[in-house]
Amino acid sequence: MNPIVIKVGGSEGIDLDALCADVASLVHDGVPLVLVHGGSAETNRVATQLGHAPQFVTSPSGFTSRLTDRKALEIFEMVYCGSINKGIVERLQMAGVNAVGLSGIDGRLWEGRRKKNIRVLEDGKIRVLRDSWTGTVDRVNVDLLNLLMGQGYLPVLTPPGISEDGEAINVDGDRAAARTASALGADTLMLLSNVPGLLKAFPDESSLLREVAYEDFDEAMEFAEGRMRIKMLGAKEALDGGVGRVVLGDARNGQPVRAAMDGVGTVLMGAAK
Ligand code: ADP
């Protein structure tokens, strides 16, 4: 049975207790899973407390991301690999699941190129920012994941990833999860967040788009703003990488994984084979 890859976001309102309880019950039912998580809201809080307020940049193609200088990267690691990752592992361990928390640096799990200089849009003009600790995942260490899963461990994965030179790079969690799903040959990728799915008229939750066929992707992309654009890009990369379906689902309460398995949310279908 191919594993399901679940990415849970780190935005305000996400219920990690509900998520972990649901994950644990599926693991006990024998469903093979890999869990990926974010941590943006908590990182913003901690960064502000430490006097290094978060900054965001927009690329010329309209994607927003965190400005990651060395200090921002260190705070990012404290929260993502520290409090959030260990909090999830602890919840799962308390529920009887032998979870192992790893970042993309560990065992070169998520390897890619560092983009030291990034182009950003500022007041309508393109600027080049230097000293960026960011990049994209090109390779997933599938052997490491299979080694863990084969021995009954549940991998709990989080950014950053690692550059070819061994440096930590901030990679997008949704896109890293997409890469992981493709590399593992997953049938389903779930991107769970603090919205019911892709909304046609954000933030009106009654405007949920229930299904998007592969050929209608570009049309659906027009509804996505801000961070939802990267989630959609990740979804597309997963489908192009052979994942059968991507579900954008709600992680604010209930049984978020089981709901997404039942297709509650926005279901994006791969190209007909
Ligand atoms: P997470 O950190 O949980 O992965 P993000 O904050 O990165 O989630 O992305 C989800 C956010 O995208 C929502 O909270 C919402 O503010 C924003 N968004 C923008 N456009 C839409 C849309 N059309 N439908 C749903 N959410 C949208």
Side-chain angles (χ1 to χ4, degrees), residues 6 75 98 100-101 110 119 126 150 157 172 177 209 215 228 250:
I6 304 163
I75 297 169
N98 208 352
V100 172
W110 285 335
R119 282 150 41 90
I126 294 178
L157 314 179
D172 178 69
L209 220 74
E215 44 298 352
M228 185 48 85
D250 201 335

Side-chain angles (χ1 to χ4, degrees), residues 7-11 14 40 174 192-195 197-200 202 223-228 231:
K7 152 76 180 15
V8 63
S11 298
I14 287 172
S40 56
D174 292 310
L192 308 180
S193 184
N194 65 349
V195 279
L198 179 64
L199 305 173
K200 262 180 127 165
F202 174 76
F223 302 122
E225 296 161 36
R227 286 275 319 145
M228 185 48 85
K231 226 172 260 301

Side-chain angles (χ1 to χ4, degrees), residues 58-64 121 225-226 229-230:
T58 305
S59 72
S61 46
F63 293 100
T64 311
L121 206 56
E225 296 161 36
R229 290 178 59 78
I230 302 207

Side-chain angles (χ1 to χ4, degrees), residues 138-202:
D138 295 323
R139 280 172 301 282
V140 175
N141 187 346
V142 175
D143 289 346
L144 176 56
L145 293 177
N146 285 334
L147 187 73
L148 290 170
M149 287 189 286
Q151 296 294 315
Y153 295 100
L154 170 71
V156 179
L157 314 179
T158 192
I162 188 164
S163 76
E164 280 132 8
D165 296 331
E167 307 152 299
I169 48 174
N170 184 3
V171 295
D172 178 69
D174 292 310
R175 295 180 70 194
R179 271 278 174 186
T180 307
S182 305
L184 288 172
D187 298 320
T188 304
L189 167 68
M190 296 177 186
L191 299 176
L192 308 180
S193 184
N194 65 349
V195 279
L198 179 64
L199 305 173
K200 262 180 127 165
F202 174 76

Side-chain angles (χ1 to χ4, degrees), residues 199-236:
L199 305 173
K200 262 180 127 165
F202 174 76
D204 175 5
E205 298 199 357
S206 67
S207 70
L208 176 69
L209 220 74
R210 295 196 179 279
E211 202 174 301
V212 179
Y214 186 79
E215 44 298 352
D216 296 334
F217 183 88
D218 290 345
E219 204 179 305
M221 186 72 175
E222 287 177 19
F223 302 122
E225 296 161 36
R227 286 275 319 145
M228 185 48 85
R229 290 178 59 78
I230 302 207
K231 226 172 260 301
M232 289 289 287
L233 178 66
K236 180 79 178 346

